[in-house]
Amino acid sequence: MSLMERLDREKNKRQQPNPNMPLEKVPATGLELHSPVSVPQPHRGKESLLFQRSARMSPTANPSSAKGRIPDNFQTWKMRLHERFVNLAFDQPNSTDLEQTIQLLIQQEDLPLSRAERELMVQELKSEIEGYGPLDVLLRDNTVSEIMVNGPYKVYVERSGRVELTPVVFANEAHVMRIIEKIVSPLGRRIDESSPMVDARLPDGSRVNAIIPPLAITGPTLTIRKFSRDPLQANDLVRFGTLTEEMVEFLQGCVQARLNILVSGGTGAGKTTTLNVVSSFIPTYERVITVEDAAEVQLHQDHVVTLETRPPNIENKGAVTIRDLVRNTLRMRPDRIIVGEVRGAEALDMLQAMNTGHDGSLTTVHANSPRDALRRIEVMVLMTGMELPLRAIREQISSAIHLVVQQARLKDGTRKIVQISELVGMEGDNIVLQDLFVFEEQGLSDDGAVLGHHHPTGVVPRALDLFKARGIPVKYEWFQTGADPWQS
């Protein structure tokens, strides 16, 4: 007997419930849960207001078009129907059967819903079952670049570099936990009191971080860094004012000349986006291996191998770190190695790879300036526990890294490449840096936008010798300071 026939049969057997009878006292059927269901009672006080806010502003609808009042029991009914549906053990249903089944469940419960409320109930239940519940509307919104869930009743988003509170809320902490587990479980990762933090990703590559009580005092906290369905290209960054066409042409030449490039910047500065754009200049015939905590780098070349770290299991065994993966890549015949971000002892292995024939490698690091980026790498090399002289470490860095691209997020939320600096060797015990391109701020406009322009410093990089050796065209006008600066 098919599931649809079963539902129809149970519907015919079922007695008509009293509309005034509480939902939890409706006569049981063969479709009821095999164990008692704890049905949430209507919230009181502050939480009741939050539920009313959630009801008036459905997370599956456009917030600007929400009208009317949704019944106060709407969330309770939705949770009840969801639990009953889960008990039916649907395994990857198609949307047509799913919608019909939800409609029949609603009819069986004889819920006092209008046609519009019934349609809303169906859409929200489909979102809970097939998607990520209240987050679906935000994940579909192309203007949202980041989603921040601070417990069940506060959901923030970032739009155009500005953070704002949304009307989207969850039913309770258990609801948030269910969505988090739905995200991390397919990746073979877990989150519980013994392992209350996890890094993961959505199927579209969006980066996810979750942290739960007892570490998160305000309740389960979820942060999603969204990535565009159509990855940004170099001309998009030029249009946004992140860099100029001359800088793009120079970086493209650097990649083709197999220079090792370090992308530096603070949190949310756009390092991964810049890394994606720079890596798009890699020739399609080369073998590229990426190493990341959570796969974020989006490459369109054919010959790409993506490696991802693995956290320890419940017995605290089986962890695979970035350092383990970087070492393994050296045995995989890579033409290029891309490390999503160096945070620790893997910095030494990355430097050794760059110094032993793996030219053209790319990586990122958290730092506020090119000089700080090099200092951070020094500290990370020392984290290996090897007692290396500081001068030896600096010599390794100066010979391994050719270019530092510094990214920053400005006061108005815009992201710009503020420096491109070249490493030109050692002078005494210090690494010598020279700026090739800089962004010069010139104040704020009336609407708070940062004014300024990119311009070359007039210094001709020593790396041009590598350009010529590999037959890469060189335009000296890239570095001329006499041209009119590009205005942002």
Side-chain angles (χ1 to χ4, degrees):
M1 181 185 299
S2 70
L3 186 57
M4 299 301 299
E5 292 172 347
R6 181 185 172 194
L7 283 170
D8 287 334
R9 183 175 178 180
E10 294 296 339
K11 178 185 175 185
N12 294 331
K13 288 182 178 180
R14 185 185 177 98
Q15 298 178 358
Q16 283 293 332
N18 183 347
N20 298 322
M21 183 182 295
L23 188 61
E24 61 270 23
K25 294 184 179 180
V26 172
T29 72
L31 292 177
E32 291 292 347
L33 296 173
H34 299 296
S35 58
V37 178
S38 176
V39 179
Q41 299 300 317
H43 287 238
R44 301 289 189 265
K46 181 179 178 181
E47 292 185 353
S48 177
L49 294 176
L50 289 165
F51 268 79
Q52 290 179 25
R53 173 184 170 207
S54 173
R56 290 190 181 94
M57 190 65 70
S58 165
T60 57
N62 184 349
S64 62
S65 63
K67 295 180 180 179
R69 177 179 175 82
I70 305 298
D72 289 337
N73 289 331
F74 187 87
Q75 290 286 346
T76 302
W77 294 336
K78 186 178 77 172
M79 293 175 67
R80 169 71 176 212
L81 290 171
H82 182 261
E83 288 175 342
R84 287 196 59 197
F85 187 91
V86 171
N87 192 54
L88 294 175
F90 251 91
D91 187 19
Q92 297 181 346
N94 61 61
S95 58
T96 304
D97 290 342
L98 175 60
E99 185 167 340
Q100 290 178 359
T101 305
I102 294 172
Q103 291 280 12
L104 284 174
L105 286 173
I106 294 174
Q107 291 175 15
Q108 287 186 352
E109 295 291 355
D110 196 22
L111 300 178
L113 297 173
S114 67
R115 181 176 179 179
E117 293 164 357
R118 185 182 295 264
E119 291 176 356
L120 179 61
M121 177 71 79
V122 171
Q123 292 304 315
E124 291 201 6
L125 277 171
K126 286 180 66 177
S127 215
E128 291 286 343
I129 296 163
E130 294 185 320
Y132 301 107
L135 297 180
D136 272 3
V137 66
L138 302 178
L139 291 170
R140 291 194 299 265
D141 189 343
N142 292 330
T143 66
V144 172
S145 58
E146 193 138 6
I147 302 171
M148 294 152 277
V149 179
N150 299 353
Y153 308 127
K154 287 186 178 180
V155 179
Y156 292 85
V157 297
E158 179 186 290
R159 285 190 176 94
S160 303
R162 303 294 177 93
V163 175
E164 58 188 62
L165 179 66
T166 72
V168 173
V169 296
F170 290 79
N172 49 38
E173 291 191 0
H175 191 188
V176 185
M177 285 298 303
R178 185 166 70 238
I179 298 301
I180 293 175
E181 290 170 356
K182 193 171 185 178
I183 293 172
V184 304
S185 295
L187 302 176
R189 305 199 175 191
R190 63 186 178 89
I191 185 166
D192 50 41
E193 288 190 3
S194 63
S195 179
M197 297 181 292
V198 68
D199 288 315
R201 53 183 164 79
L202 297 180
D204 65 355
S206 297
R207 182 172 63 196
V208 177
N209 174 268
I211 181 168
I212 64 172
L215 300 187
I217 305 301
T218 57
T221 302
L222 180 67
T223 308
I224 301 176
R225 175 76 58 80
K226 286 179 57 182
F227 291 117
S228 174
R229 290 183 176 86
D230 298 319
L232 296 176
Q233 304 297 322
N235 57 346
D236 296 317
L237 297 190
V238 172
R239 190 173 70 254
F240 297 153
T242 304
L243 73 173
T244 66
E245 292 182 3
E246 291 78 14
M247 295 164 70
V248 169
E249 292 177 359
F250 173 65
L251 289 175
Q252 183 174 5
C254 290
V255 173
Q256 293 173 351
R258 303 185 64 84
L259 271 63
N260 296 321
I261 300 175
L262 174 67
V263 180
S264 168
T267 301
K271 298 185 299 298
T272 303
T273 299
T274 298
L275 183 64
N276 282 328
V277 170
V278 172
S279 61
S280 69
F281 301 139
I282 297 174
T284 56
Y285 56 81
E286 293 189 2
R287 176 176 170 87
V288 183
I289 301 179
T290 67
V291 179
E292 300 171 87
D293 274 330
E296 299 175 57
V297 177
Q298 299 169 300
L299 298 180
H300 298 285
Q301 287 83 351
D302 292 331
H303 202 165
V304 177
V305 178
T306 301
L307 306 181
E308 190 175 66
T309 61
R310 185 177 68 186
N313 59 23
I314 197 169
E315 298 175 348
N316 203 30
K317 297 179 180 178
V320 179
T321 66
I322 285 186
R323 189 174 190 189
D324 297 330
L325 294 178
V326 170
R327 287 176 175 175
N328 192 74
T329 59
L330 304 180
R331 305 183 184 96
M332 297 174 66
R333 199 248 171 237
D335 288 315
R336 309 260 184 167
I337 299 174
I338 299 178
V339 179
E341 182 179 342
V342 288
R343 298 188 181 93
E346 66 271 7
L348 177 60
D349 300 285
M350 187 69 194
L351 291 175
Q352 289 178 328
M354 291 176 172
N355 275 320
T356 54
H358 297 89
D359 295 333
S361 298
L362 308 169
T363 189
T364 72
V365 66
H366 273 84
N368 295 324
S369 70
R371 179 67 63 184
D372 287 345
L374 301 183
R375 292 195 185 103
R376 280 214 65 208
I377 291 179
E378 290 177 17
V379 172
M380 287 187 280
V381 171
L382 293 173
M383 290 169 63
T384 61
M386 301 176 64
E387 297 181 0
L388 297 174
L390 193 58
R391 180 178 175 83
I393 296 173
R394 290 177 177 173
E395 287 176 347
Q396 283 278 318
I397 294 173
S398 65
S399 62
I401 300 174
H402 298 102
L403 211 65
V404 180
V405 178
Q406 183 67 35
Q407 186 108 5
R409 179 176 173 177
L410 305 184
K411 299 180 183 68
D412 60 353
T414 58
R415 297 168 172 88
K416 296 186 185 296
I417 292 178
V418 294
Q419 282 175 279
I420 296 180
S421 303
E422 182 188 29
L423 281 70
V424 294
M426 298 281 294
E427 187 174 286
D429 290 335
N430 298 314
I431 300 173
V432 178
L433 280 169
Q434 60 181 15
D435 291 339
L436 305 179
F437 299 90
V438 297
F439 178 78
E440 183 179 346
E441 290 191 41
Q442 296 176 330
L444 299 175
S445 66
D446 294 337
D447 59 356
V450 173
L451 299 176
H453 64 268
H454 291 94
H455 64 84
T457 61
V459 175
V460 176
R462 296 187 182 181
L464 292 188
D465 292 338
L466 293 175
F467 280 47
K468 296 175 182 177
R470 292 183 168 94
I472 308 299
V474 175
K475 297 180 182 178
Y476 285 95
E477 56 265 27
W478 292 339
F479 314 106
Q480 293 177 356
T481 58
D484 291 335
W486 178 85
Q487 296 294 329
S488 66

